[in-house]
Amino acid sequence: MDAEMKDKLMKALENVIDPELGIDIVNLGLVYDVELNENGEALVTMTLTSMGCPLAGVISQEVKAALSEIPEVQDAEVNIVWSPPWDKDKMSRMAKIALGIQ
């Protein structure tokens, strides 16, 4: 997968909004990696803001839906990991400003 395709996938994931925080999962720093193999199978490695997040299933479904909009993606899988753990330092400057975090 080339850098252009990776950017395209990440841009699509910016459409997935964390329902609790109202910020997209990319700017929140929840997406650690996204890959697309030669069969069109995407793998998103991401985390959540907390282990007990009740919306994990919703977010996973929205990730799959966002990636399905890209013609090259035939299928998508979401791998939720807890290491490294998420913290506010992973957020983009824009997300921190939107949430009033310094």
Coordinates of all heavy atoms in Angstrom, one line a residue:
M1 N 0.8 -1.2 0.0 CA 0.0 0.0 0.0 C 0.9 1.2 0.0 O 1.8 1.3 0.8 CB -0.9 0.0 1.2 CG -1.8 1.2 1.4 SD -2.9 1.1 2.8 CE -1.7 1.3 4.2
D2 N 0.6 2.2 -0.9 CA 1.4 3.4 -0.9 C 0.9 4.4 0.0 O -0.2 4.3 0.6 CB 1.5 3.9 -2.4 CG 0.1 4.3 -3.0 OD1 -0.8 4.5 -2.2 OD2 0.0 4.4 -4.2
A3 N 1.6 5.5 0.2 CA 1.3 6.6 1.1 C 0.0 7.3 0.7 O -0.8 7.7 1.6 CB 2.5 7.6 1.2
E4 N -0.2 7.4 -0.6 CA -1.5 8.0 -1.1 C -2.7 7.3 -0.6 O -3.7 7.9 -0.2 CB -1.4 8.2 -2.6 CG -2.6 8.9 -3.2 CD -2.5 9.1 -4.7 OE1 -1.4 9.2 -5.2 OE2 -3.6 9.1 -5.3
M5 N -2.6 5.9 -0.7 CA -3.8 5.1 -0.3 C -4.0 5.2 1.2 O -5.1 5.3 1.7 CB -3.6 3.7 -0.7 CG -4.7 2.7 -0.3 SD -6.4 3.3 -0.7 CE -6.4 3.0 -2.5
K6 N -2.8 5.2 2.0 CA -2.9 5.3 3.4 C -3.6 6.6 3.8 O -4.5 6.6 4.7 CB -1.6 5.2 4.1 CG -1.6 5.1 5.6 CD -0.3 4.6 6.2 CE -0.6 4.1 7.6 NZ 0.1 2.9 7.9
D7 N -3.2 7.7 3.1 CA -3.8 9.0 3.4 C -5.3 9.0 3.1 O -6.1 9.5 3.8 CB -3.2 10.1 2.6 CG -1.8 10.4 3.1 OD1 -1.4 10.0 4.2 OD2 -1.0 11.1 2.3
K8 N -5.7 8.3 2.0 CA -7.1 8.2 1.6 C -7.9 7.4 2.7 O -9.0 7.8 3.0 CB -7.2 7.4 0.3 CG -8.5 7.5 -0.4 CD -8.4 6.8 -1.8 CE -9.6 6.9 -2.6 NZ -9.5 6.3 -3.9
L9 N -7.3 6.4 3.2 CA -8.0 5.6 4.3 C -8.1 6.4 5.6 O -9.2 6.4 6.2 CB -7.2 4.3 4.6 CG -7.1 3.3 3.4 CD1 -6.2 2.2 3.7 CD2 -8.5 2.7 3.1
M10 N -7.1 7.1 5.9 CA -7.1 7.9 7.1 C -8.1 9.1 7.0 O -8.9 9.4 7.9 CB -5.7 8.5 7.5 CG -4.7 7.4 7.9 SD -5.2 6.6 9.5 CE -4.7 7.8 10.7
K11 N -8.2 9.6 5.8 CA -9.2 10.7 5.5 C -10.6 10.2 5.7 O -11.5 10.9 6.3 CB -9.0 11.3 4.1 CG -9.8 12.5 3.8 CD -9.2 13.7 4.5 CE -9.9 14.9 4.0 NZ -9.7 16.0 4.9
A12 N -10.8 9.0 5.2 CA -12.2 8.4 5.4 C -12.5 8.2 6.9 O -13.6 8.4 7.3 CB -12.2 7.0 4.7
L13 N -11.5 7.8 7.7 CA -11.7 7.5 9.1 C -12.0 8.8 9.9 O -12.5 8.8 10.9 CB -10.5 6.8 9.7 CG -10.3 5.4 9.2 CD1 -9.0 4.7 9.7 CD2 -11.5 4.5 9.5
E14 N -11.6 10.0 9.3 CA -11.9 11.2 9.9 C -13.4 11.5 9.9 O -13.9 12.4 10.6 CB -11.2 12.4 9.2 CG -9.7 12.4 9.5 CD -9.0 13.6 8.8 OE1 -9.6 14.3 8.0 OE2 -7.8 13.7 9.0
N15 N -14.2 10.7 9.2 CA -15.6 10.9 9.2 C -16.3 10.1 10.3 O -17.5 10.2 10.5 CB -16.2 10.4 7.8 CG -15.8 11.3 6.7 OD1 -15.8 12.5 6.8 ND2 -15.4 10.7 5.6
V16 N -15.5 9.3 11.1 CA -16.0 8.6 12.2 C -15.9 9.4 13.4 O -14.7 9.7 13.9 CB -15.3 7.2 12.4 CG1 -15.9 6.5 13.6 CG2 -15.4 6.4 11.1
I17 N -17.0 9.9 14.0 CA -17.0 10.7 15.1 C -17.2 9.9 16.4 O -18.1 9.1 16.5 CB -18.1 11.8 15.0 CG1 -18.0 12.6 13.7 CG2 -18.1 12.8 16.2 CD1 -16.7 13.3 13.5
D18 N -16.4 10.2 17.4 CA -16.6 9.6 18.7 C -17.9 10.2 19.3 O -17.9 11.4 19.5 CB -15.4 9.9 19.7 CG -15.6 9.2 21.0 OD1 -16.4 9.7 21.8 OD2 -14.8 8.3 21.3
P19 N -18.9 9.4 19.6 CA -20.2 9.9 20.0 C -20.1 10.6 21.3 O -21.0 11.5 21.6 CB -21.1 8.7 20.1 CG -20.3 7.5 19.6 CD -18.9 7.9 19.4
E20 N -19.2 10.3 22.2 CA -19.2 10.9 23.5 C -18.4 12.3 23.5 O -18.8 13.2 24.2 CB -18.5 10.0 24.5 CG -19.3 8.8 24.8 CD -18.6 7.8 25.8 OE1 -17.3 7.6 25.6 OE2 -19.2 7.4 26.7
L21 N -17.4 12.3 22.6 CA -16.6 13.5 22.6 C -16.9 14.5 21.4 O -16.5 15.6 21.4 CB -15.1 13.2 22.6 CG -14.6 12.4 23.8 CD1 -13.2 12.0 23.7 CD2 -14.8 13.2 25.1
G22 N -17.5 14.0 20.4 CA -17.9 14.8 19.2 C -16.7 15.2 18.4 O -16.8 16.1 17.6
I23 N -15.6 14.4 18.4 CA -14.4 14.6 17.6 C -14.1 13.4 16.9 O -14.4 12.3 17.4 CB -13.2 15.0 18.5 CG1 -13.5 16.2 19.5 CG2 -11.9 15.2 17.7 CD1 -13.5 17.5 18.8
D24 N -13.5 13.5 15.7 CA -13.3 12.3 14.9 C -12.2 11.4 15.5 O -11.3 11.9 16.3 CB -12.9 12.6 13.5 CG -11.6 13.3 13.3 OD1 -10.6 12.6 13.2 OD2 -11.6 14.5 13.3
I25 N -12.2 10.1 15.2 CA -11.3 9.2 15.9 C -9.8 9.4 15.5 O -8.9 9.0 16.2 CB -11.7 7.7 15.7 CG1 -11.7 7.4 14.2 CG2 -13.1 7.5 16.3 CD1 -12.0 5.9 13.9
V26 N -9.6 10.0 14.3 CA -8.2 10.2 13.9 C -7.6 11.4 14.7 O -6.5 11.2 15.2 CB -8.1 10.5 12.4 CG1 -6.7 11.0 11.9 CG2 -8.6 9.3 11.5
N27 N -8.3 12.5 14.8 CA -7.8 13.6 15.6 C -7.7 13.3 17.1 O -7.0 13.9 17.8 CB -8.6 14.9 15.3 CG -8.1 15.5 14.0 OD1 -7.0 16.0 13.9 ND2 -8.9 15.4 12.9
L28 N -8.6 12.4 17.5 CA -8.5 12.0 18.9 C -7.2 11.1 19.2 O -6.9 10.9 20.3 CB -9.7 11.2 19.4 CG -10.9 12.1 19.7 CD1 -12.2 11.2 19.9 CD2 -10.7 13.0 20.8
G29 N -6.6 10.6 18.1 CA -5.4 9.8 18.3 C -5.8 8.4 18.6 O -4.9 7.6 19.1
L30 N -7.0 7.9 18.2 CA -7.4 6.6 18.5 C -6.9 5.6 17.5 O -6.8 4.4 17.7 CB -8.9 6.5 18.7 CG -9.6 7.3 19.8 CD1 -11.1 7.2 19.7 CD2 -9.0 6.9 21.1
V31 N -6.7 6.1 16.3 CA -6.3 5.2 15.2 C -4.7 5.1 15.2 O -4.0 6.1 15.0 CB -6.8 5.7 13.8 CG1 -6.2 4.8 12.7 CG2 -8.3 5.8 13.8
Y32 N -4.2 3.9 15.4 CA -2.8 3.7 15.5 C -2.2 3.3 14.1 O -1.1 3.7 13.7 CB -2.4 2.6 16.5 CG -2.7 3.0 17.9 CD1 -2.8 2.0 18.9 CD2 -2.8 4.3 18.3 CE1 -3.0 2.4 20.2 CE2 -3.0 4.7 19.6 CZ -3.1 3.7 20.6 OH -3.3 4.0 21.9
D33 N -3.0 2.6 13.3 CA -2.5 2.2 12.0 C -3.7 1.7 11.1 O -4.7 1.3 11.6 CB -1.5 1.1 12.1 CG -0.7 0.8 10.8 OD1 -0.6 1.8 10.0 OD2 -0.2 -0.3 10.6
V34 N -3.5 1.8 9.8 CA -4.5 1.3 8.9 C -3.7 0.7 7.7 O -2.7 1.3 7.2 CB -5.5 2.3 8.4 CG1 -4.9 3.5 7.7 CG2 -6.6 1.7 7.5
E35 N -4.1 -0.5 7.3 CA -3.4 -1.2 6.2 C -4.5 -1.7 5.2 O -5.6 -1.9 5.6 CB -2.7 -2.4 6.8 CG -1.6 -2.1 7.8 CD -1.1 -3.3 8.5 OE1 -1.2 -4.4 7.9 OE2 -0.6 -3.2 9.6
L36 N -4.0 -1.9 4.0 CA -4.9 -2.4 3.0 C -4.1 -3.4 2.2 O -3.0 -3.1 1.6 CB -5.4 -1.3 2.0 CG -6.4 -1.8 0.9 CD1 -7.7 -2.3 1.6 CD2 -6.7 -0.7 0.0
N37 N -4.5 -4.7 2.2 CA -3.7 -5.7 1.4 C -4.2 -5.8 0.0 O -5.1 -5.1 -0.4 CB -3.8 -7.1 2.1 CG -5.1 -7.7 2.1 OD1 -6.0 -7.4 1.2 ND2 -5.4 -8.7 3.0
E38 N -3.5 -6.6 -0.8 CA -3.8 -6.7 -2.2 C -5.2 -7.3 -2.6 O -5.7 -7.1 -3.7 CB -2.7 -7.6 -2.9 CG -2.6 -9.0 -2.5 CD -1.9 -9.2 -1.1 OE1 -1.2 -8.3 -0.7 OE2 -2.0 -10.3 -0.6
N39 N -5.8 -7.9 -1.6 CA -7.2 -8.4 -1.8 C -8.3 -7.4 -1.4 O -9.5 -7.7 -1.5 CB -7.4 -9.7 -0.9 CG -6.5 -10.8 -1.4 OD1 -6.2 -11.0 -2.6 ND2 -6.0 -11.5 -0.4
G40 N -7.9 -6.2 -1.0 CA -8.8 -5.1 -0.7 C -9.3 -5.2 0.7 O -10.4 -4.7 1.1
E41 N -8.6 -6.0 1.6 CA -9.0 -6.1 3.0 C -8.3 -5.1 3.8 O -7.0 -5.1 3.9 CB -8.7 -7.6 3.4 CG -9.4 -8.6 2.7 CD -8.9 -10.0 2.8 OE1 -7.6 -10.1 3.1 OE2 -9.6 -11.0 2.7
A42 N -9.0 -4.2 4.5 CA -8.4 -3.2 5.3 C -8.4 -3.7 6.8 O -9.3 -4.4 7.2 CB -9.3 -1.9 5.2
L43 N -7.3 -3.3 7.4 CA -7.2 -3.6 8.9 C -6.9 -2.3 9.6 O -5.9 -1.7 9.3 CB -6.1 -4.7 9.1 CG -5.8 -4.9 10.6 CD1 -7.0 -5.6 11.3 CD2 -4.6 -5.9 10.7
V44 N -7.7 -2.0 10.5 CA -7.6 -0.8 11.3 C -7.2 -1.2 12.7 O -7.9 -1.9 13.4 CB -8.8 0.1 11.4 CG1 -8.6 1.3 12.2 CG2 -9.3 0.5 10.0
T45 N -6.0 -0.7 13.1 CA -5.6 -1.0 14.5 C -5.8 0.3 15.3 O -5.3 1.4 14.9 CB -4.1 -1.4 14.6 OG1 -3.9 -2.5 13.8 CG2 -3.6 -1.6 16.0
M46 N -6.6 0.2 16.3 CA -7.0 1.4 17.0 C -7.3 1.1 18.5 O -7.3 -0.1 18.9 CB -8.3 2.0 16.4 CG -9.5 1.2 16.5 SD -11.0 2.0 15.8 CE -11.3 3.2 17.1
T47 N -7.5 2.1 19.3 CA -7.8 1.9 20.7 C -9.1 2.8 21.0 O -9.6 3.4 20.0 CB -6.7 2.3 21.6 OG1 -6.9 1.9 22.9 CG2 -6.4 3.8 21.6
L48 N -9.5 2.8 22.2 CA -10.6 3.6 22.6 C -10.2 4.4 23.8 O -9.1 4.1 24.4 CB -11.8 2.7 23.0 CG -12.3 1.8 21.9 CD1 -13.3 0.8 22.4 CD2 -13.0 2.6 20.8
T49 N -10.9 5.4 24.2 CA -10.5 6.3 25.3 C -10.5 5.6 26.6 O -9.8 5.9 27.5 CB -11.4 7.5 25.3 OG1 -12.7 7.2 25.4 CG2 -11.2 8.4 24.1
S50 N -11.3 4.5 26.7 CA -11.4 3.7 28.0 C -11.7 2.3 27.6 O -12.4 2.0 26.7 CB -12.4 4.3 29.0 OG -13.7 4.2 28.5
M51 N -11.3 1.3 28.5 CA -11.5 -0.1 28.2 C -13.0 -0.4 28.3 O -13.5 -1.3 27.6 CB -10.8 -0.9 29.3 CG -9.3 -1.1 29.0 SD -8.5 -2.1 30.2 CE -7.8 -3.3 29.1
G52 N -13.7 0.3 29.1 CA -15.1 0.0 29.3 C -16.1 0.8 28.4 O -17.2 0.9 28.7
C53 N -15.5 1.3 27.3 CA -16.3 2.1 26.4 C -17.5 1.3 25.9 O -17.4 0.3 25.2 CB -15.5 2.6 25.2 SG -16.4 3.6 24.0
P54 N -18.7 1.8 26.2 CA -19.9 1.1 25.8 C -20.3 1.2 24.3 O -21.1 0.5 23.8 CB -21.0 1.8 26.7 CG -20.5 3.1 26.9 CD -19.0 3.0 27.0
L55 N -19.5 2.1 23.6 CA -19.8 2.4 22.2 C -18.8 1.7 21.3 O -18.8 2.1 20.1 CB -19.9 3.9 22.0 CG -21.0 4.6 22.8 CD1 -20.8 6.1 22.7 CD2 -22.3 4.2 22.3
A56 N -18.0 0.8 21.8 CA -17.0 0.1 21.0 C -17.6 -0.5 19.7 O -17.1 -0.4 18.6 CB -16.3 -0.9 21.8
G57 N -18.7 -1.2 19.9 CA -19.3 -1.8 18.7 C -19.8 -0.8 17.7 O -19.7 -1.0 16.5
V58 N -20.4 0.3 18.2 CA -20.9 1.3 17.3 C -19.7 1.9 16.5 O -19.8 2.1 15.3 CB -21.6 2.4 18.1 CG1 -21.9 3.6 17.2 CG2 -22.9 1.9 18.7
I59 N -18.6 2.3 17.2 CA -17.5 2.9 16.5 C -16.9 1.9 15.5 O -16.6 2.3 14.4 CB -16.4 3.3 17.6 CG1 -17.0 4.5 18.4 CG2 -15.1 3.7 16.9 CD1 -16.2 4.9 19.6
S60 N -16.8 0.6 15.9 CA -16.2 -0.4 14.9 C -17.1 -0.4 13.7 O -16.6 -0.5 12.5 CB -16.2 -1.8 15.6 OG -15.2 -1.8 16.6
Q61 N -18.4 -0.4 13.8 CA -19.3 -0.5 12.7 C -19.2 0.8 11.8 O -19.2 0.7 10.6 CB -20.8 -0.6 13.1 CG -21.1 -2.0 13.6 CD -20.8 -3.1 12.6 OE1 -21.1 -3.0 11.4 NE2 -20.1 -4.2 13.1
E62 N -19.0 1.9 12.4 CA -18.8 3.2 11.7 C -17.5 3.2 11.0 O -17.4 3.8 9.9 CB -19.0 4.4 12.6 CG -20.4 4.6 13.1 CD -20.7 5.8 13.9 OE1 -19.7 6.6 14.1 OE2 -21.8 5.9 14.4
V63 N -16.5 2.6 11.5 CA -15.1 2.5 10.9 C -15.3 1.7 9.6 O -14.9 2.1 8.5 CB -14.1 1.9 11.8 CG1 -12.9 1.4 11.0 CG2 -13.7 2.9 12.9
K64 N -16.0 0.5 9.7 CA -16.2 -0.3 8.5 C -17.0 0.4 7.5 O -16.7 0.3 6.3 CB -16.9 -1.6 9.0 CG -16.0 -2.5 9.8 CD -16.7 -3.7 10.3 CE -15.8 -4.6 11.2 NZ -16.5 -5.8 11.6
A65 N -18.0 1.1 7.9 CA -18.9 1.8 7.0 C -18.1 2.9 6.2 O -18.2 3.1 5.0 CB -20.1 2.4 7.7
A66 N -17.3 3.6 7.0 CA -16.5 4.7 6.4 C -15.5 4.2 5.3 O -15.4 4.7 4.2 CB -15.7 5.5 7.4
L67 N -14.9 3.1 5.6 CA -13.9 2.5 4.7 C -14.6 1.8 3.5 O -14.0 1.8 2.4 CB -13.0 1.5 5.4 CG -12.0 2.1 6.4 CD1 -11.2 1.0 7.1 CD2 -11.1 3.1 5.8
S68 N -15.8 1.4 3.7 CA -16.5 0.7 2.6 C -16.9 1.7 1.5 O -17.2 1.3 0.3 CB -17.8 0.1 3.1 OG -18.8 1.0 3.4
E69 N -16.8 3.0 1.8 CA -17.0 4.1 0.8 C -15.8 4.2 -0.3 O -16.0 4.8 -1.3 CB -17.2 5.4 1.4 CG -18.4 5.5 2.4 CD -19.7 5.4 1.6 OE1 -19.8 6.0 0.6 OE2 -20.6 4.7 2.1
I70 N -14.7 3.6 0.1 CA -13.5 3.6 -0.8 C -13.6 2.4 -1.7 O -13.7 1.3 -1.3 CB -12.2 3.6 0.0 CG1 -12.2 4.9 0.9 CG2 -11.0 3.5 -0.9 CD1 -11.0 4.9 1.9
P71 N -13.6 2.6 -3.0 CA -13.8 1.5 -4.0 C -12.7 0.4 -3.8 O -13.1 -0.8 -4.1 CB -13.6 2.2 -5.4 CG -13.9 3.6 -5.1 CD -13.5 3.9 -3.7
E72 N -11.5 0.7 -3.4 CA -10.5 -0.3 -3.3 C -10.7 -1.2 -2.1 O -10.1 -2.3 -2.0 CB -9.1 0.3 -3.2 CG -8.7 1.1 -4.4 CD -9.1 2.5 -4.5 OE1 -10.0 3.0 -3.7 OE2 -8.7 3.2 -5.4
V73 N -11.5 -0.8 -1.2 CA -11.8 -1.6 0.1 C -12.9 -2.6 -0.2 O -14.0 -2.2 -0.4 CB -12.0 -0.7 1.3 CG1 -12.4 -1.5 2.5 CG2 -10.9 0.2 1.5
Q74 N -12.6 -3.8 -0.1 CA -13.6 -4.9 -0.2 C -14.2 -5.4 1.1 O -15.3 -5.8 1.2 CB -13.0 -6.1 -1.0 CG -12.5 -5.8 -2.3 CD -13.5 -5.1 -3.2 OE1 -14.6 -5.6 -3.4 NE2 -13.1 -3.9 -3.8
D75 N -13.4 -5.2 2.2 CA -13.8 -5.7 3.5 C -12.9 -4.9 4.5 O -11.8 -4.5 4.1 CB -13.6 -7.2 3.6 CG -14.2 -7.7 4.9 OD1 -15.2 -7.1 5.4 OD2 -13.8 -8.8 5.4
A76 N -13.4 -4.8 5.7 CA -12.6 -4.1 6.7 C -12.8 -4.8 8.1 O -13.8 -5.3 8.4 CB -13.1 -2.6 6.9
E77 N -11.7 -4.8 8.8 CA -11.6 -5.4 10.1 C -11.1 -4.4 11.1 O -10.1 -3.6 10.7 CB -10.7 -6.7 10.1 CG -10.7 -7.5 11.4 CD -12.1 -8.1 11.6 OE1 -12.8 -8.5 10.7 OE2 -12.4 -8.2 12.8
V78 N -11.6 -4.3 12.3 CA -11.1 -3.4 13.3 C -10.5 -4.2 14.4 O -11.1 -5.1 15.0 CB -12.3 -2.6 13.9 CG1 -11.8 -1.6 15.0 CG2 -13.0 -1.8 12.7
N79 N -9.2 -3.9 14.7 CA -8.5 -4.6 15.8 C -8.3 -3.5 16.9 O -7.5 -2.6 16.8 CB -7.1 -5.0 15.3 CG -6.3 -5.7 16.3 OD1 -6.9 -6.3 17.3 ND2 -5.0 -5.7 16.2
I80 N -9.1 -3.7 18.0 CA -9.0 -2.8 19.1 C -7.9 -3.3 20.1 O -8.0 -4.5 20.5 CB -10.3 -2.6 19.8 CG1 -11.3 -2.0 18.9 CG2 -10.2 -1.8 21.1 CD1 -12.7 -1.8 19.4
V81 N -6.9 -2.5 20.3 CA -5.8 -2.8 21.2 C -5.8 -1.9 22.4 O -6.3 -0.8 22.4 CB -4.5 -2.7 20.4 CG1 -4.5 -3.7 19.3 CG2 -4.2 -1.4 19.9
W82 N -5.1 -2.3 23.4 CA -5.0 -1.5 24.7 C -3.5 -1.1 24.9 O -3.2 -0.4 25.9 CB -5.6 -2.2 25.8 CG -7.0 -2.5 25.6 CD1 -7.5 -3.8 25.3 CD2 -8.1 -1.6 25.4 NE1 -8.9 -3.7 25.1 CE2 -9.3 -2.3 25.1 CE3 -8.2 -0.2 25.5 CZ2 -10.5 -1.8 24.9 CZ3 -9.5 0.4 25.3 CH2 -10.6 -0.4 25.1
S83 N -2.6 -1.5 24.1 CA -1.2 -1.1 24.2 C -0.7 -0.6 22.9 O -0.8 -1.3 21.9 CB -0.4 -2.4 24.7 OG 0.9 -2.0 24.9
P84 N -0.2 0.6 22.9 CA 0.0 1.5 24.0 C -1.4 2.1 24.4 O -2.3 2.3 23.6 CB 0.9 2.6 23.5 CG 0.7 2.6 22.0 CD 0.3 1.2 21.6
P85 N -1.5 2.4 25.7 CA -2.8 3.0 26.1 C -3.0 4.4 25.6 O -2.0 5.1 25.4 CB -2.7 3.0 27.7 CG -1.2 2.9 28.0 CD -0.6 2.2 26.8
W86 N -4.2 4.7 25.4 CA -4.5 6.1 24.9 C -4.4 7.1 26.0 O -4.7 6.8 27.2 CB -5.9 6.1 24.3 CG -6.3 7.5 23.8 CD1 -6.1 8.0 22.6 CD2 -7.0 8.5 24.5 NE1 -6.6 9.2 22.5 CE2 -7.2 9.6 23.6 CE3 -7.5 8.6 25.8 CZ2 -7.8 10.8 24.0 CZ3 -8.1 9.8 26.2 CH2 -8.3 10.9 25.3
D87 N -3.9 8.3 25.7 CA -4.0 9.4 26.6 C -4.2 10.7 25.8 O -4.0 10.7 24.6 CB -2.8 9.4 27.6 CG -1.5 9.7 26.8 OD1 -1.4 10.4 25.8 OD2 -0.5 9.1 27.3
K88 N -4.4 11.8 26.5 CA -4.8 13.0 25.8 C -3.6 13.5 24.9 O -3.8 14.3 24.0 CB -5.2 14.1 26.7 CG -4.2 14.5 27.7 CD -4.8 15.6 28.6 CE -3.6 16.1 29.6 NZ -4.1 17.1 30.4
D89 N -2.4 13.1 25.2 CA -1.2 13.5 24.4 C -1.3 13.0 23.0 O -0.6 13.5 22.1 CB 0.1 13.1 25.1 CG 0.3 13.8 26.4 OD1 -0.2 15.0 26.5 OD2 1.0 13.3 27.2
K90 N -2.1 12.0 22.7 CA -2.2 11.4 21.3 C -3.1 12.3 20.5 O -3.2 12.1 19.3 CB -2.7 10.0 21.4 CG -1.7 9.1 22.1 CD -2.1 7.6 22.0 CE -1.2 6.6 22.5 NZ 0.0 7.0 23.2
M91 N -3.9 13.2 21.1 CA -4.8 14.0 20.3 C -4.1 15.1 19.5 O -3.0 15.5 19.9 CB -5.8 14.7 21.3 CG -6.7 13.8 22.0 SD -8.1 14.7 22.8 CE -7.2 15.7 24.0
S92 N -4.7 15.4 18.4 CA -4.1 16.5 17.5 C -4.4 17.8 18.2 O -5.2 17.9 19.2 CB -4.8 16.5 16.2 OG -6.2 17.0 16.3
R93 N -3.7 18.8 17.8 CA -3.8 20.2 18.3 C -5.3 20.6 18.2 O -5.9 21.2 19.1 CB -2.9 21.1 17.6 CG -2.9 22.5 18.2 CD -1.8 23.4 17.5 NE -1.8 24.7 18.0 CZ -2.5 25.7 17.4 NH1 -3.2 25.4 16.3 NH2 -2.6 26.9 17.9
M94 N -5.9 20.4 17.0 CA -7.2 20.7 16.8 C -8.2 20.1 17.8 O -9.1 20.8 18.3 CB -7.6 20.3 15.3 CG -9.0 20.8 14.9 SD -10.4 19.7 15.3 CE -10.1 18.2 14.7
A95 N -8.0 18.8 18.1 CA -8.9 18.1 19.0 C -8.7 18.7 20.4 O -9.7 18.9 21.1 CB -8.6 16.6 19.0
K96 N -7.5 19.0 20.8 CA -7.3 19.6 22.1 C -7.9 21.0 22.2 O -8.6 21.3 23.2 CB -5.8 19.7 22.4 CG -5.1 18.4 22.6 CD -3.6 18.6 22.9 CE -3.0 17.2 23.1 NZ -1.5 17.3 23.2
I97 N -7.9 21.8 21.2 CA -8.5 23.1 21.2 C -10.0 22.9 21.3 O -10.7 23.6 22.1 CB -8.1 23.9 19.9 CG1 -6.6 24.3 20.1 CG2 -9.0 25.1 19.8 CD1 -6.0 24.9 18.8
A98 N -10.6 22.0 20.5 CA -12.0 21.8 20.5 C -12.5 21.4 21.8 O -13.7 21.7 22.2 CB -12.4 20.8 19.4
L99 N -11.7 20.6 22.6 CA -12.1 20.1 23.9 C -11.7 21.0 25.0 O -11.9 20.7 26.2 CB -11.7 18.7 24.1 CG -12.3 17.6 23.1 CD1 -11.6 16.3 23.2 CD2 -13.8 17.5 23.3
G100 N -10.9 22.0 24.7 CA -10.4 22.9 25.8 C -9.3 22.3 26.6 O -9.2 22.7 27.8
I101 N -8.5 21.5 26.0 CA -7.4 20.8 26.7 C -6.1 21.5 26.3 O -5.9 21.7 25.1 CB -7.4 19.3 26.4 CG1 -8.7 18.7 26.9 CG2 -6.2 18.7 27.0 CD1 -8.8 17.2 26.4
Q102 N -5.3 21.7 27.3 CA -4.0 22.3 27.0 C -2.9 21.3 27.1 O -2.9 20.4 27.7 CB -3.7 23.5 27.9 CG -4.7 24.6 27.6 CD -4.3 25.9 28.3 OE1 -3.2 26.1 28.7 NE2 -5.3 26.8 28.4

